[in-house]
């Protein structure tokens, strides 16, 4: 179903904020736009130390997102106690596990009368949405998962986390979760901005509980279907776009997740010269990929994509590779991109359009890995 433009006039959004009661506590939700029966809603879930504003505001406020927001409403979900200026959760309250947070989402959909969603999650939020899609595949049309880690913490990770709790402040711990070492050392303004946000607008006690819940997560039990093998393996049924910056601390985890998913429904987008929050660092590129993903699902017309290409002025090139999912090939991909850096300017914008369009093709025979 292609959604054509309804109005090209001044873009205005209706915003509603509510606390939705679930069996695992109240979650703060912000609905932008009006849900319609024949259209999915973009459902977002943030990462540790963030809320929907600090995680997604740059992305959704970008002018290139207006095209999609005219068609699809957005529901931002925030974990218990993670919204701005939240009060400290009661002492008797047991913070939900990652599994329980995913099981709180059906109540949110029921509350707003939503039939299906396109999930957009970052870090912990990506994990929660992936588990939600595994347990409720009929409610999820597609997933865009940024910095997802499908693995449980090992014994050494657990010990390291305990030592970190003793030796580091909570803001420091969150910063190292969100950003890579290089970004922390070089992008001082960005790090200072997020450190200030974590310190001044987030409830530290509540963030600490969310962090502990994430560190106690279980393995995301997914298995890559094998031709001729068991057709009923547990895997994500919907089209899925995995996204990570090449300087993100989550690169290896995302590549590992990529290796476990259905190759006919999954695309891995690794963004060059990009840090831990691609939707903040390079929102234009993420939006372009997101729009091709939406178009591939049939929810955006080619006319809209033509307008997007005409507005996009980035000179960055996208190299499209059809590679097996392994870390060795990922390293080869990185080296290949470095060697070809000098020729990127010669490739021009048309190469970017053609490569990005591969994201919209969900009927591919192998997993697509795209570096941009």
């Amino acid at each position: 179903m292609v959604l054509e433009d309804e109005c090209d006039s001044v873009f205005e959004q209706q915003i509603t904020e509510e606390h939705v009661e679930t069996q695992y506590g109240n979650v703060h939700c912000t609905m932008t736009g009006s849900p319609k029966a024949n259209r999915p809603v973009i459902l977002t879930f943030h990462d540790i130390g963030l809320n929907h504003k600090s995680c997604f505001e740059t992305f959704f406020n970008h002018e290139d997102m207006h095209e999609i927001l005219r068609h699809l409403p957005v529901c931002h979900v925030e974990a218990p106690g993670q919204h701005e200026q939240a009060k400290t959760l009661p002492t008797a309250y047991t913070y939900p596990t990652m599994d329980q947070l995913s099981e709180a989402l059906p109540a949110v959909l029921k509350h707003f009368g939503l039939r299906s969603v396109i999930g957009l999650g970052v870090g912990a939020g990506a994990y929660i949405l992936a588990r939600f899609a595994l347990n409720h595949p009929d409610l999820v049309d597609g997933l865009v998962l940024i910095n997802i880690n499908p693995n449980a913490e090992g014994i050494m990770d657990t010990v390291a986390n305990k030592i970190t709790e003793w030796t580091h402040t909570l803001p420091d711990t969150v910063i190292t979760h969100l950003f890579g070492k290089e970004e922390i050392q070089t992008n001082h303004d960005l790090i200072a901005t997020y450190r200030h946000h974590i310190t001044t607008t987030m409830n530290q006690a509540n963030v600490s509980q969310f962090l502990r819940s994430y560190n106690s997560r279980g393995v995301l039990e997914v298995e890559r279907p094998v031709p001729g093998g068991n057709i009923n393996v547990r895997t994500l049924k919907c089209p899925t776009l995995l996204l990570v910056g090449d300087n993100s601390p989550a690169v290896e985890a995302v590549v590992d997740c990529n290796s476990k998913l259905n190759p006919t429904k999954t695309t891995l987008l690794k963004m060059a010269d990009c840090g831990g929050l691609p939707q903040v660092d390079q929102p234009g590129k993420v939006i372009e990929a997101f729009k091709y993903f939406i178009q591939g699902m049939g929810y955006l017309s080619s006319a809209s994509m033509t307008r997007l290409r005409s507005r996009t002025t980035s000179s960055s090139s996208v190299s499209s590779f059809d590679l097996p999912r392994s870390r060795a090939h990922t390293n080869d991909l990185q080296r290949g991109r470095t060697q070809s850096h000098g020729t990127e300017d010669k490739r021009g914008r048309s190469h970017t359009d053609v490569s990005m369009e591969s994201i919209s093709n969900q009927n591919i025979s192998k997993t697509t890995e795209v570096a941009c």
Side-chain angles (χ1 to χ4, degrees), residues 103-149:
E103 287 304 309
L105 294 178
V108 173
L109 270 65
K110 182 178 180 180
H111 177 84
F112 289 106
L114 310 181
R115 294 187 177 184
S116 65
V117 301
I118 297 170
L120 171 60
V122 180
Y127 179 95
I128 290 167
L129 289 177
R131 189 162 286 281
F132 171 61
L134 283 171
N135 294 333
H136 305 276
D138 54 320
L139 298 179
V140 182
D141 286 357
L143 287 173
V144 178
L145 306 176
I146 301 173
N147 298 340
I148 186 172
N149 187 342

Side-chain angles (χ1 to χ4, degrees), residues 1-12 33-39 66-73 299-301 303-304 307:
M1 175 182 64
V2 175
L3 306 180
E4 300 295 344
D5 283 338
E6 294 175 341
C7 179
D8 288 324
S9 59
V10 177
F11 181 63
E12 295 182 357
S34 301
K36 297 183 179 180
N38 62 340
R39 304 182 184 184
H66 294 177
E67 201 75 56
I68 252 185
L69 297 180
R70 286 190 179 95
H71 301 311
L72 302 176
Y299 290 118
L300 197 65
S301 68
S304 297
R307 285 193 291 274

